[in-house]
């Protein structure tokens, strides 16, 4: 099968190549996300990119069929991918307390949809270069962020008391330490495990944090992981 598009022709093998390439490039970004245990991983990014590619190909083919026959604009079909992907991206964003998670994953889905559209339109260099830049941003720049954003995982094992969390918060505020992602897990015999993500805190302050938290009434043990 041969499809006439403008001044060039899309063969059946070309269609298969574009869809396969979109699946690969989407999977490349998805692999990085899945390696970091994010909600939208290999399968999600691959399907988004593949679907976007298919929609772009359909837009091009439809335009060829209706060109000069109607005022309808089939390109609007591909345009809806850009706005429509927002619904999928919103599903990856979660707010926990003062912390918002999933923004990077949502942005990846949005960019991957653009990569799929580029492949579907035949702009291979743009699609490859964009995928490479995304991979670079997620991999290299994330390591740079860690150099400046030093977080510690603090685990506090304590007796279950109503004022315990407030007391822990007061101690950390006195130390001028910001924290988020507070998780509380029940233990046996009336014990609980409080896990906190402490922001912008160097490992050298660990001993001070441990000693101050152990002063809180009911705290049995405190451990810190980098």
């Amino acid at each position: 099968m041969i499809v006439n598009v403008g001044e060039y022709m899309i063969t059946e093998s070309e269609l298969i190549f574009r869809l396969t390439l979109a699946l690969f490039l989407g999977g490349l970004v998805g692999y990085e996300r899945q390696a970091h245990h994010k909600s939208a991983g290999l399968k999600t990014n691959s399907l988004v990119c593949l679907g976007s590619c298919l929609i772009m190909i359909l837009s091009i083919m439809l335009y060829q069929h209706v060109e000069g026959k109607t005022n309808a604009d089939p390109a609007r079909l591909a345009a809806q991918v850009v706005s429509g992907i927002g619904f999928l991206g919103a599903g990856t964003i979660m707010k926990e307390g003062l912390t918002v998670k999933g923004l990077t994953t949502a942005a990846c889905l949005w960019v991957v949809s653009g990569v799929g559209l580029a492949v579907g339109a035949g702009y291979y260099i743009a699609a490859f270069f964009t995928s490479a830049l995304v991979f670079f941003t997620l991999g290299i720049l994330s390591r740079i962020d860690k150099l400046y954003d030093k977080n510690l995982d603090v685990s506090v094992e304590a007796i279950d008391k109503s004022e315990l969390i407030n007391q822990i918060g007061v101690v950390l505020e006195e130390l001028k330490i910001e924290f988020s992602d507070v998780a509380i897990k029940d233990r046996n015999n009336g014990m609980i495990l409080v896990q906190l993500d402490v922001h912008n805190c160097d490992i050298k302050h660990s001993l001070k944090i441990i000693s101050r938290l152990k002063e809180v009434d009911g705290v049995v043990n405190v451990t810190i992981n980098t």
Side-chain angles (χ1 to χ4, degrees):
M1 181 183 71
I2 299 177
V3 180
N4 293 318
V5 181
E7 298 180 353
Y8 65 95
M9 306 172 68
I10 300 180
T11 63
E12 195 170 51
S13 59
E14 176 72 9
L15 293 176
I16 295 174
F17 171 74
R18 292 187 183 187
L19 292 171
T20 304
L21 179 60
L23 185 70
F24 169 76
L25 293 179
L28 182 66
V29 177
Y31 171 78
E32 194 282 337
R33 292 285 81 194
Q34 185 156 326
H36 289 82
H37 308 289
K38 301 302 179 180
S39 54
L42 179 63
K43 292 183 291 185
T44 303
N45 282 275
S46 298
L47 291 175
V48 166
C49 196
L50 177 62
S52 300
C53 178
L54 176 61
I55 292 173
M56 176 55 83
I57 293 174
L58 289 175
S59 296
I60 295 173
M61 294 172 66
L62 287 173
Y63 179 76
Q64 178 66 29
H65 286 294
V66 302
E67 185 180 9
K69 301 178 182 178
T70 177
N71 292 327
D73 184 11
R76 295 178 61 184
L77 180 64
Q80 296 308 307
V81 173
V82 180
S83 58
I85 198 65
F87 290 97
L88 186 59
T92 67
I93 300 174
M94 297 177 290
K95 187 176 184 298
E96 298 179 359
L98 299 177
T99 303
V100 178
K101 290 184 174 182
L103 289 175
T104 301
T105 300
C108 283
L109 291 175
W110 184 71
V111 175
V112 162
S113 69
V115 172
L117 293 174
V119 174
Y123 297 107
Y124 304 131
I125 295 179
F128 269 111
F129 192 65
T130 300
S131 299
L133 288 177
V134 170
F135 207 76
F136 170 80
T137 301
L138 295 176
I140 305 301
L141 296 188
S142 295
R143 297 178 185 177
I144 295 177
D145 283 341
K146 291 181 180 180
L147 296 178
Y148 298 96
D149 188 14
K150 298 179 180 178
N151 296 344
L152 300 177
D153 294 326
V154 180
S155 298
V156 181
E157 189 174 3
I159 300 173
D160 190 2
K161 298 175 62 176
S162 59
E163 296 297 322
L164 179 65
I165 302 300
N166 290 335
Q167 292 175 358
I168 292 176
V170 169
V171 170
L172 294 178
E173 287 180 3
E174 291 177 353
L175 295 174
K176 298 181 179 180
I177 294 176
E178 296 180 357
F179 66 94
S180 64
D181 296 341
V182 180
I184 303 175
K185 299 180 181 180
D186 291 327
R187 291 292 182 93
N188 296 328
N189 303 323
M191 302 290 291
I192 60 173
L193 181 65
V194 182
Q195 296 177 315
L196 310 97
D197 187 12
V198 175
H199 301 299
N200 301 317
C201 187
D202 200 282
I203 189 64
K204 64 183 180 181
H205 297 138
S206 297
L207 293 178
K208 187 176 183 179
I209 296 173
I210 291 174
S211 62
R212 289 296 303 275
L213 287 177
K214 283 187 175 180
E215 294 175 0
V216 175
D217 185 31
V219 173
V220 176
N221 186 38
V222 178
T223 58
I224 293 181
N225 297 316
T226 57

